[in-house]
Coordinates of all heavy atoms in Angstrom, one line a residue:
M1 N 109.3 70.6 114.4 CA 108.5 71.5 114.8 C 109.2 72.4 116.0 O 110.0 71.8 116.7 CB 107.1 71.1 115.3 CG 106.4 70.4 114.3 SD 104.9 71.2 113.8 CE 103.9 71.3 115.3
L2 N 108.9 73.7 116.1 CA 109.3 74.4 117.1 C 108.7 74.1 118.5 O 107.5 73.8 118.5 CB 109.2 75.9 117.0 CG 109.8 76.4 115.7 CD1 109.2 77.9 115.4 CD2 111.3 76.5 115.8
S3 N 109.5 74.2 119.6 CA 108.9 73.9 120.9 C 108.0 75.2 121.2 O 108.3 76.3 120.7 CB 110.0 73.6 121.9 OG 110.7 74.7 122.1
D4 N 107.3 75.2 122.3 CA 106.5 76.3 122.8 C 107.6 77.4 123.1 O 107.3 78.7 123.0 CB 105.6 76.0 123.8 CG 104.3 75.3 123.4 OD1 104.1 75.3 122.0 OD2 103.7 74.5 124.2
K5 N 108.6 76.9 123.8 CA 109.6 77.9 124.3 C 110.3 78.6 123.1 O 110.5 79.9 123.1 CB 110.6 77.1 125.1 CG 111.6 78.0 125.8 CD 112.6 77.2 126.6 CE 113.6 78.0 127.4 NZ 114.5 77.3 128.2
E6 N 110.6 77.9 122.0 CA 111.2 78.5 120.9 C 110.3 79.5 120.3 O 110.7 80.5 119.7 CB 111.6 77.4 119.8 CG 112.8 76.5 120.3 CD 113.0 75.3 119.5 OE1 112.1 74.7 119.0 OE2 114.2 74.9 119.4
L7 N 109.1 79.1 120.1 CA 108.0 80.1 119.5 C 107.8 81.3 120.4 O 107.8 82.4 119.8 CB 106.6 79.3 119.3 CG 105.5 80.2 118.7 CD1 105.9 80.6 117.3 CD2 104.2 79.4 118.8
A8 N 107.9 81.1 121.7 CA 107.8 82.3 122.5 C 109.0 83.2 122.3 O 108.8 84.5 122.3 CB 107.6 81.8 124.0
Y9 N 110.1 82.6 122.2 CA 111.4 83.3 122.0 C 111.3 84.1 120.6 O 111.6 85.3 120.6 CB 112.6 82.4 121.9 CG 113.8 83.1 121.6 CD1 114.4 84.0 122.6 CD2 114.5 82.8 120.5 CE1 115.7 84.6 122.3 CE2 115.8 83.5 120.1 CZ 116.3 84.4 121.2 OH 117.5 85.0 120.8
L10 N 110.7 83.5 119.6 CA 110.6 84.2 118.3 C 109.7 85.3 118.5 O 109.9 86.5 117.9 CB 110.1 83.3 117.2 CG 111.2 82.3 116.7 CD1 110.4 81.3 115.7 CD2 112.2 83.1 116.0
R11 N 108.5 85.2 119.2 CA 107.4 86.2 119.3 C 108.2 87.3 120.1 O 107.8 88.6 119.8 CB 106.3 85.7 120.1 CG 105.4 84.9 119.2 CD 104.2 84.4 119.9 NE 103.4 83.6 119.1 CZ 102.7 82.6 119.6 NH1 102.7 82.3 120.9 NH2 101.8 81.9 118.7
E12 N 109.0 87.0 121.2 CA 109.6 88.1 122.0 C 110.6 88.9 121.1 O 110.7 90.1 121.2 CB 110.3 87.5 123.1 CG 111.1 88.3 124.0 CD 111.9 87.7 125.1 OE1 111.3 86.7 125.6 OE2 112.9 88.2 125.5
L13 N 111.3 88.3 120.2 CA 112.2 88.8 119.3 C 111.5 89.8 118.3 O 111.9 91.0 118.0 CB 113.0 87.8 118.3 CG 114.2 87.2 119.0 CD1 114.8 86.1 118.1 CD2 115.2 88.2 119.4
E14 N 110.3 89.3 117.8 CA 109.6 90.1 116.9 C 109.0 91.4 117.6 O 108.9 92.4 116.8 CB 108.3 89.2 116.4 CG 107.6 89.9 115.3 CD 106.4 89.1 114.8 OE1 105.7 88.4 115.7 OE2 106.2 89.0 113.6
N15 N 108.7 91.3 118.8 CA 108.2 92.5 119.5 C 109.1 93.3 120.3 O 108.8 94.4 120.9 CB 107.1 92.0 120.5 CG 105.9 91.4 119.7 OD1 105.5 91.8 118.6 ND2 105.3 90.2 120.2
N16 N 110.4 92.9 120.4 CA 111.3 93.6 121.0 C 112.0 94.7 120.3 O 112.7 94.4 119.4 CB 112.4 92.6 121.7 CG 113.4 93.3 122.6 OD1 113.8 94.5 122.5 ND2 113.9 92.5 123.5
Q17 N 111.8 96.0 120.6 CA 112.3 97.0 119.7 C 113.7 97.2 119.8 O 114.4 97.5 118.8 CB 111.6 98.3 120.2 CG 110.0 98.5 120.0 CD 109.9 98.2 118.5 OE1 110.3 98.7 117.5 NE2 108.7 97.2 118.1
E18 N 114.4 96.9 121.0 CA 115.8 96.9 121.0 C 116.4 95.9 120.1 O 117.5 96.2 119.6 CB 116.2 96.7 122.5 CG 115.9 97.9 123.4 CD 116.2 97.6 124.8 OE1 116.9 96.6 125.1 OE2 115.7 98.4 125.6
V19 N 116.0 94.7 120.0 CA 116.5 93.7 119.3 C 116.2 94.0 117.8 O 117.0 93.8 117.0 CB 115.9 92.2 119.6 CG1 116.3 91.2 118.7 CG2 116.4 91.9 121.0
V20 N 115.0 94.4 117.4 CA 114.7 94.7 116.1 C 115.6 95.8 115.5 O 116.0 95.8 114.4 CB 113.1 95.1 116.1 CG1 112.8 95.8 114.7 CG2 112.2 93.9 116.3
Y21 N 115.8 96.7 116.4 CA 116.8 97.8 116.0 C 118.1 97.2 115.5 O 118.7 97.7 114.6 CB 117.0 98.8 117.1 CG 118.0 99.9 116.8 CD1 117.6 101.0 115.9 CD2 119.3 99.9 117.2 CE1 118.4 102.0 115.6 CE2 120.1 100.9 117.0 CZ 119.7 101.9 116.2 OH 120.6 103.0 115.9
L22 N 118.6 96.2 116.2 CA 119.9 95.6 115.9 C 119.8 94.7 114.6 O 120.8 94.4 114.1 CB 120.5 94.8 117.1 CG 120.8 95.7 118.3 CD1 121.0 94.7 119.5 CD2 121.8 96.7 118.1
L23 N 118.7 94.1 114.4 CA 118.5 93.3 113.3 C 118.2 94.1 112.0 O 117.7 95.2 112.0 CB 117.3 92.3 113.4 CG 117.3 91.4 114.6 CD1 116.0 90.6 114.8 CD2 118.5 90.4 114.5
N24 N 118.7 93.4 110.8 CA 118.4 94.1 109.6 C 117.0 93.7 109.2 O 116.3 92.7 109.7 CB 119.4 93.9 108.5 CG 119.5 92.5 108.1 OD1 118.5 91.8 108.1 ND2 120.8 92.0 107.9
T25 N 116.5 94.4 108.1 CA 115.1 94.2 107.7 C 114.9 92.7 107.2 O 113.9 92.0 107.5 CB 114.7 95.1 106.4 OG1 115.0 96.4 106.8 CG2 113.4 94.8 105.9
R26 N 115.9 92.0 106.6 CA 115.8 90.7 106.1 C 115.7 89.7 107.3 O 114.8 88.8 107.3 CB 117.0 90.4 105.4 CG 117.0 89.1 104.5 CD 118.2 89.1 103.7 NE 118.1 88.1 102.8 CZ 119.0 87.7 101.8 NH1 120.2 88.4 101.8 NH2 118.9 86.8 101.0
E27 N 116.3 89.9 108.4 CA 116.3 89.1 109.6 C 115.0 89.2 110.2 O 114.3 88.3 110.7 CB 117.4 89.5 110.6 CG 118.8 89.0 110.1 CD 119.8 89.7 110.8 OE1 119.7 90.9 111.4 OE2 121.0 89.1 110.9
C28 N 114.4 90.4 110.2 CA 113.0 90.7 110.9 C 112.1 90.0 110.1 O 111.1 89.4 110.5 CB 112.8 92.2 111.0 SG 113.7 93.1 112.1
E29 N 112.1 90.1 108.7 CA 111.2 89.3 107.9 C 111.2 87.9 108.1 O 110.3 87.2 108.0 CB 111.4 89.7 106.3 CG 111.1 91.1 106.1 CD 111.5 91.6 104.7 OE1 112.1 90.7 103.9 OE2 111.1 92.8 104.3
L30 N 112.5 87.4 108.2 CA 112.6 85.9 108.4 C 111.9 85.4 109.7 O 111.2 84.4 109.8 CB 114.2 85.6 108.4 CG 114.4 84.1 108.8 CD1 113.9 83.1 107.8 CD2 116.0 84.0 108.9
I31 N 112.1 86.2 110.8 CA 111.5 85.8 112.0 C 110.0 85.9 112.0 O 109.2 85.0 112.4 CB 111.9 86.9 113.1 CG1 113.4 86.6 113.6 CG2 111.0 86.8 114.4 CD1 114.1 87.6 114.3
S32 N 109.5 86.9 111.2 CA 108.0 87.1 111.1 C 107.5 85.8 110.2 O 106.5 85.2 110.5 CB 107.6 88.3 110.3 OG 106.3 88.4 110.1
K33 N 108.3 85.5 109.2 CA 107.8 84.3 108.3 C 107.9 82.9 109.1 O 107.0 82.1 108.9 CB 108.7 84.1 107.1 CG 108.4 85.2 106.0 CD 109.3 85.1 104.9 CE 109.0 86.1 103.8 NZ 110.0 86.0 102.7
L34 N 108.9 82.8 110.0 CA 109.0 81.6 110.7 C 107.8 81.5 111.8 O 107.1 80.4 111.8 CB 110.3 81.7 111.7 CG 111.5 81.3 111.1 CD1 112.7 81.6 112.0 CD2 111.6 79.8 110.7
I35 N 107.3 82.6 112.3 CA 106.1 82.6 113.2 C 104.9 82.3 112.5 O 104.1 81.4 112.8 CB 106.0 83.8 113.9 CG1 107.2 84.1 115.0 CG2 104.7 84.0 114.7 CD1 107.2 85.4 115.5
K36 N 104.7 82.9 111.3 CA 103.5 82.6 110.4 C 103.5 81.2 109.9 O 102.5 80.7 109.9 CB 103.5 83.6 109.2 CG 103.2 85.1 109.7 CD 103.2 86.0 108.5 CE 102.9 87.4 108.9 NZ 103.2 88.4 107.8
S37 N 104.7 80.8 109.5 CA 104.6 79.3 109.0 C 104.4 78.3 110.1 O 103.7 77.4 110.0 CB 106.0 78.9 108.4 OG 106.3 79.7 107.3
Y38 N 104.9 78.7 111.4 CA 104.6 77.8 112.5 C 103.2 77.8 112.9 O 102.6 76.7 113.1 CB 105.5 78.2 113.7 CG 105.3 77.3 114.9 CD1 105.9 76.0 114.8 CD2 104.7 77.6 115.9 CE1 105.8 75.2 115.8 CE2 104.6 76.7 116.9 CZ 105.1 75.5 117.0 OH 104.9 74.7 118.0
K39 N 102.5 78.9 112.8 CA 101.1 78.9 113.1 C 100.3 78.4 112.2 O 99.4 77.6 112.4 CB 100.8 80.4 113.2 CG 101.2 81.2 114.4 CD 100.8 82.6 114.4 CE 101.3 83.5 115.6 NZ 100.7 84.8 115.5
E40 N 100.7 78.3 110.8 CA 99.9 77.7 109.8 C 100.1 76.1 109.9 O 99.0 75.4 109.7 CB 100.4 78.2 108.4 CG 99.7 77.5 107.3 CD 98.3 77.7 107.2 OE1 97.7 78.7 107.8 OE2 97.6 76.9 106.6
I41 N 101.2 75.6 110.2 CA 101.5 74.3 110.5 C 100.6 73.8 111.7 O 99.9 72.7 111.6 CB 103.0 73.9 110.7 CG1 103.7 74.1 109.4 CG2 103.1 72.5 111.3 CD1 105.3 74.1 109.6
Q42 N 100.6 74.6 112.8 CA 99.8 74.2 113.9 C 98.3 74.2 113.5 O 97.6 73.2 113.9 CB 100.0 75.2 115.0 CG 101.3 75.0 115.8 CD 101.4 75.8 117.0 OE1 100.9 77.1 117.0 NE2 101.8 75.3 118.1
R43 N 97.8 75.1 112.8 CA 96.4 75.1 112.2 C 96.1 73.9 111.4 O 95.1 73.2 111.7 CB 96.2 76.4 111.5 CG 94.7 76.6 111.2 CD 94.5 77.7 110.0 NE 95.1 77.3 108.8 CZ 94.5 76.4 108.0 NH1 93.5 75.8 108.3 NH2 95.0 76.2 106.8
Q44 N 97.0 73.6 110.6 CA 96.8 72.4 109.6 C 96.7 71.0 110.5 O 96.0 70.2 110.1 CB 97.9 72.3 108.5 CG 97.6 73.4 107.5 CD 98.8 73.4 106.5 OE1 99.6 72.5 106.5 NE2 98.8 74.4 105.6
L45 N 97.7 71.0 111.4 CA 97.7 69.8 112.2 C 96.4 69.6 113.1 O 95.9 68.6 113.2 CB 99.0 69.8 113.1 CG 100.2 69.5 112.5 CD1 101.3 69.7 113.5 CD2 100.3 68.1 112.1
S46 N 96.0 70.7 113.6 CA 94.6 70.7 114.3 C 93.4 70.3 113.5 O 92.7 69.6 113.9 CB 94.4 72.1 115.0 OG 95.4 72.4 115.9
A47 N 93.4 70.8 112.2 CA 92.4 70.5 111.3 C 92.5 69.0 111.0 O 91.4 68.3 110.9 CB 92.6 71.3 110.1
L48 N 93.7 68.5 110.9 CA 93.9 67.1 110.6 C 93.3 66.2 111.7 O 92.6 65.1 111.5 CB 95.3 66.7 110.2 CG 95.8 67.0 108.8 CD1 97.2 66.8 108.7 CD2 95.0 66.2 107.9
Q49 N 93.7 66.7 112.9 CA 93.3 65.9 114.1 C 91.8 65.8 114.3 O 91.2 64.9 114.6 CB 94.0 66.5 115.4 CG 95.5 66.1 115.4 CD 96.2 66.8 116.5 OE1 95.6 67.7 117.2 NE2 97.4 66.4 116.8
I50 N 91.2 67.1 114.0 CA 89.7 67.2 114.1 C 89.1 66.3 113.2 O 88.1 65.5 113.4 CB 89.2 68.6 114.0 CG1 89.8 69.4 115.1 CG2 87.7 68.7 113.8 CD1 89.5 70.9 115.0
S51 N 89.5 66.2 111.8 CA 89.0 65.4 110.8 C 89.1 63.9 111.0 O 88.3 63.1 110.6 CB 89.6 65.9 109.4 OG 90.8 65.5 109.2
R52 N 90.2 63.5 111.7 CA 90.5 62.2 112.0 C 89.4 61.6 113.1 O 89.3 60.4 113.2 CB 91.9 61.9 112.3 CG 92.9 62.2 111.2 CD 94.3 61.9 111.6 NE 94.5 60.5 111.6 CZ 95.6 59.9 112.0 NH1 96.6 60.8 112.6 NH2 95.7 58.6 112.1
S53 N 89.1 62.5 114.0 CA 88.2 62.1 115.1 C 86.9 61.6 114.7 O 86.2 61.9 113.8 CB 88.1 63.2 116.0 OG 89.3 63.7 116.5

């Protein structure tokens, strides 16, 4: 799993127009997918923890 620092870095990359300009479309899509996947994993883990309680 990504650390909070790594996730923050990915979010910063996603929102940084200067960096986005340097990246190609495929790289931008990959960053976006990484963030979405990570958020979904976190949501599922939270749901599992709630159901186990």
Side-chain angles (χ1 to χ4, degrees):
M1 295 249 301
L2 295 173
S3 69
D4 289 339
K5 186 176 182 179
E6 290 167 327
L7 180 60
Y9 177 69
L10 285 175
R11 285 184 180 143
E12 183 180 321
L13 279 177
E14 186 179 42
N15 296 321
N16 185 330
Q17 294 304 312
E18 291 175 14
V19 173
V20 169
Y21 178 76
L22 297 173
L23 297 175
N24 64 37
T25 302
R26 195 173 192 179
E27 292 166 331
C28 291
E29 288 173 359
L30 175 61
I31 289 169
S32 181
K33 285 180 183 179
L34 281 171
I35 292 171
K36 288 176 186 173
S37 295
Y38 183 73
K39 286 179 182 178
E40 178 60 22
I41 290 169
Q42 281 186 319
R43 186 195 65 75
Q44 290 176 7
L45 285 173
S46 293
L48 282 172
Q49 289 173 348
I50 290 170
S51 68
R52 291 179 79 189
S53 299

